[in-house]
Amino acid sequence: MNLVFYFAKIEIFKVFRRRYLLFLLTLTTIAYPLLIGAFISIFYNEIQFSSAAPIADVAAMVILLTTSIILLPLWITVFVGQEFSMNYVSRFIHANSRSHYFFSKIVYCLLVSAYFTFLSLLTIYLSFRLILFDQVNEHTTFFLQLVPQLWTVYTLYSLVCLSLVFLIRKPILSTMLLYIIPQVDSIITMVANKFFDSTIRLGPFEMIRMLYSESVRGYTVSYISYSFYNSLLPFCYVLLIIIASYRYFLRRDLKIMSE
Amino acid sequence: MFLNHQAHPLIVSIRNVTKSLLYKEILKDISFDINLGEVVGIVGPNGAGKTTLFNILTGSLKADSGNVVFSKGIKLDYVITRNEFFDDMSVGDNLKLRCHLSKRDISGIENNKNIFKINYFDKLFYSLSAGMKQKVALTASFLGHSDLILLDEPTNHLDIDSIIILRDTVAQLKERGVSFLVASHSFSELEKICDRVIFIKSGKILLDEKSTELLLKFADFENAYKSIMIVSKA
């Protein structure tokens, strides 16, 4: 437990002391509610008309936007990728170990996921309260259920992003791939649905993003929690990816040449 | 793997280390030891394998074969000719982060900042000149009371005053039992600080000898280097 706090302390220290990241943090904190709030206000009427539980579908939309428009992935690729390109990883490994570095990044993913969970909840709450004038107080139970669900989805998604960064080790290339791969992932799923009449999801990104949406579909708010945790496949999938990425990181050389 | 520090004056023992990068053999069966309080110089042309050897010692690279055995409980620090600081972080915060990483007390920064007269703690790292960055890197390596310090081209970008300060600091720390492995192209500097010198070429050790003996045979390191390199070509 002490180790988790030690890693968390170092990660928070870096975010608040690095100008570039502090700027990104400020920008995200301001721009995220505005951007997502705008989407909610535009699509709410459509959702309200077609859904049994509109607030649950709004939450699903927020998850899709957070994971797809380079918000959450950007925080993983830029931050961790830069640590590889700036040789910080070598210094960390020298002071601690490769395992410690890997686990410190898992702690980082948990922190980033918690941050985006907070932003998502705040955005949904404010959008309903200030833009849609809905009675949010009626949905207290829903919000309480949503906290662990959002955090789980964001954590799983960021862990897959993290694995890709550990594989690529370059911030720009990782960001590009994290933009392309989920699109490919979606196309494969769409093709599979259309031609084979199958709802199977092969890629991790699509599987995680749909984890919440699938659980919402056809249910009322009170049934979401049960359905969400009923699907173990994405959890196992991410666990396998993380283990493979960890093993690969332990074996592979870091940056090989001096500048 | 560790050596028994109490019974043995060895700080680190490198045995039969071989390393290939991109299918090219960079280090070929390298073996040598570094003893307590010893300053070992390592000299060789570009691409000889010096930095690769340093990277293996720091753990960034893994040797294909052979062993690097450190004495139990020793602390190692290094200055390698590459930037390991965050450009968008201030000098002071970079040094604090270094202390946090190594779980060291940040009071060491205050004690060591006068070595190179660093008075630009609030400046962002990217805004520093190359010489200033090198001073920060050297100060960082002296923060943690290490037992072995690896210095790769430590005099790069330094002014004359700082080179003299570095030389004096190495001598002081050596008196306290700190060992150094120094890679440099400056023969004059190595002559002044090294107890032993290793000539390396194409990943092979050509010579490993005490400085005093080498100076007796060849008068200075430059002559020794030229003679050894001529013999190796033949």
Side-chain angles (χ1 to χ4, degrees):
Chain A
M1 205 61 185
N2 280 344
L3 210 57
V4 173
F5 283 121
Y6 165 65
F7 291 148
K9 185 180 141 188
I10 286 178
E11 296 305 324
I12 291 167
F13 181 90
K14 279 187 287 181
V15 170
F16 284 97
R17 300 304 173 98
R18 287 186 60 191
R19 305 294 161 93
Y20 180 60
L21 283 171
L22 197 57
F23 171 74
L24 193 63
L25 182 73
T26 313
L27 185 72
T28 308
T29 310
I30 296 167
Y32 181 96
L34 295 175
L35 191 70
I36 305 288
F39 270 95
I40 292 173
S41 60
I42 291 166
F43 293 103
Y44 185 67
N45 283 341
E46 200 179 312
I47 290 170
Q48 200 177 24
F49 185 73
S50 63
S51 173
I55 196 167
D57 275 345
V58 165
M61 189 177 82
V62 169
I63 289 174
L64 285 177
L65 290 170
T66 307
T67 52
S68 63
I69 58 170
I70 316 275
L71 277 168
L72 181 72
L74 195 74
W75 273 84
I76 308 295
T77 52
V78 171
F79 191 88
V80 184
Q82 267 193 337
E83 291 190 351
F84 276 101
S85 62
M86 293 173 93
N87 291 308
Y88 170 79
V89 184
S90 307
R91 177 55 64 177
F92 190 105
I93 286 170
H94 165 68
N96 295 277
S97 70
R98 285 179 188 240
S99 303
H100 280 98
Y101 183 74
F102 195 85
F103 291 123
S104 78
K105 290 302 116 187
I106 292 179
V107 171
Y108 172 70
C109 284
L110 292 170
L111 289 173
V112 170
S113 304
Y115 166 65
F116 275 98
T117 301
F118 168 75
L119 278 185
S120 299
L121 288 171
L122 186 74
T123 305
I124 296 169
Y125 179 84
L126 289 179
S127 301
F128 270 75
R129 189 96 194 178
L130 302 177
I131 305 169
L132 307 168
F133 305 107
D134 200 334
Q135 294 301 311
V136 187
N137 296 343
E138 290 173 9
H139 304 301
T140 312
T141 318
F142 170 77
F143 271 93
L144 288 174
Q145 283 179 358
L146 193 60
V147 175
Q149 291 174 0
L150 280 179
W151 197 38
T152 308
V153 170
Y154 291 159
T155 303
L156 292 179
Y157 201 87
S158 56
L159 287 175
V160 178
C161 296
L162 184 75
S163 300
L164 191 73
V165 178
F166 270 88
L167 185 73
I168 307 293
R169 297 164 181 225
K170 290 183 175 69
I172 296 170
L173 188 62
S174 305
T175 307
M176 285 165 66
L177 283 174
L178 268 175
Y179 189 71
I180 295 164
I181 294 172
Q183 312 302 326
V184 175
D185 204 347
S186 300
I187 292 167
I188 291 171
T189 305
M190 201 172 72
V191 170
N193 286 352
K194 192 159 187 173
F195 290 99
F196 304 105
D197 197 26
S198 159
T199 53
I200 195 162
R201 306 191 188 285
L202 299 171
F205 294 104
E206 192 68 10
M207 194 183 278
I208 296 162
R209 280 193 337 207
M210 288 298 146
L211 183 65
Y212 180 84
S213 313
E214 293 282 304
S215 70
V216 168
R217 193 166 293 158
Y219 292 94
T220 56
V221 170
S222 56
Y223 289 105
I224 293 168
S225 188
Y226 167 76
S227 175
F228 182 84
Y229 291 108
N230 209 19
S231 175
L232 270 177
L233 189 61
F235 293 89
C236 298
Y237 204 165
V238 173
L239 188 66
L240 279 176
I241 289 171
I242 280 290
I243 290 170
S245 163
Y246 173 65
R247 306 284 296 176
Y248 178 72
F249 179 62
L250 287 189
R251 283 177 171 76
R252 194 150 160 214
D253 285 334
L254 293 176
K255 203 169 184 179
I256 53 174
M257 300 302 284
S258 60
E259 284 175 356
Chain B
M1 207 185 272
F2 294 111
L3 297 165
N4 186 338
H5 193 41
Q6 298 301 321
H8 213 295
L10 276 183
I11 283 286
V12 60
S13 177
I14 296 149
R15 285 282 162 271
N16 310 107
V17 166
T18 301
K19 179 69 185 171
S20 295
L21 293 170
L22 302 172
Y23 309 106
K24 189 185 171 196
E25 203 171 26
I26 307 292
L27 294 177
K28 297 164 189 167
D29 202 27
I30 295 279
S31 296
F32 67 93
D33 301 325
I34 302 174
N35 298 312
L36 193 73
E38 192 178 30
V39 181
V40 179
I42 187 158
V43 183
N46 292 331
K50 303 186 293 288
T51 305
T52 304
L53 178 65
F54 276 41
N55 282 327
I56 288 173
L57 287 170
T58 61
S60 293
L61 298 180
K62 289 175 183 277
D64 296 337
S65 62
N67 289 317
V68 176
V69 187
F70 287 101
S71 180
K72 196 174 181 182
I74 75 145
K75 282 192 222 163
L76 180 133
D77 216 316
Y78 64 90
V79 176
I80 286 187
T81 51
R82 65 184 184 203
N83 179 9
E84 288 186 341
F85 294 95
F86 286 114
D87 283 336
D88 56 345
M89 202 185 254
S90 71
V91 171
D93 285 338
N94 264 306
L95 291 175
K96 277 182 198 164
L97 178 63
R98 189 66 70 88
C99 289
H100 290 323
L101 281 184
S102 321
K103 295 172 187 151
R104 290 166 181 164
D105 190 1
I106 57 167
S107 62
I109 299 171
E110 198 60 32
N111 301 335
N112 286 279
K113 72 176 185 184
N114 289 328
I115 296 176
F116 290 103
K117 299 176 181 64
I118 294 177
N119 55 3
Y120 39 85
F121 277 77
D122 294 331
K123 281 194 171 184
L124 291 181
F125 194 76
Y126 84 87
S127 68
L128 304 182
S129 69
M132 289 160 106
K133 285 180 181 175
Q134 184 71 347
K135 285 182 200 175
V136 174
L138 287 165
T139 303
S141 73
F142 298 143
L143 284 177
H145 308 291
S146 303
D147 304 290
L148 172 63
I149 300 178
L150 312 179
L151 301 174
D152 192 5
E153 305 293 348
T155 55
N156 269 4
H157 311 294
L158 289 185
D159 54 34
I160 300 291
D161 289 344
S162 301
I163 290 173
I164 294 168
I165 291 168
L166 173 65
R167 197 191 301 152
D168 293 345
T169 309
V170 169
Q172 282 169 20
L173 290 172
K174 175 180 143 58
E175 287 300 309
R176 287 191 225 155
V178 178
S179 308
F180 289 87
L181 180 62
V182 187
S184 177
H185 295 300
S186 170
F187 289 118
S188 60
E189 285 311 317
L190 288 174
E191 276 172 17
K192 283 169 190 151
I193 60 170
C194 289
D195 301 309
R196 214 172 93 218
V197 69
I198 293 169
F199 288 167
I200 183 171
K201 189 187 173 190
S202 305
K204 277 185 180 172
I205 290 181
L206 302 180
L207 176 130
D208 179 354
E209 202 158 328
K210 285 191 172 173
S211 298
T212 45
E213 288 170 16
L214 201 66
L215 290 172
L216 275 175
K217 282 185 206 167
F218 296 97
D220 60 34
F221 280 6
E222 191 172 334
N223 278 332
Y225 182 77
K226 283 177 185 167
S227 308
I228 300 294
M229 288 300 156
I230 288 167
V231 171
S232 78
K233 276 178 192 167

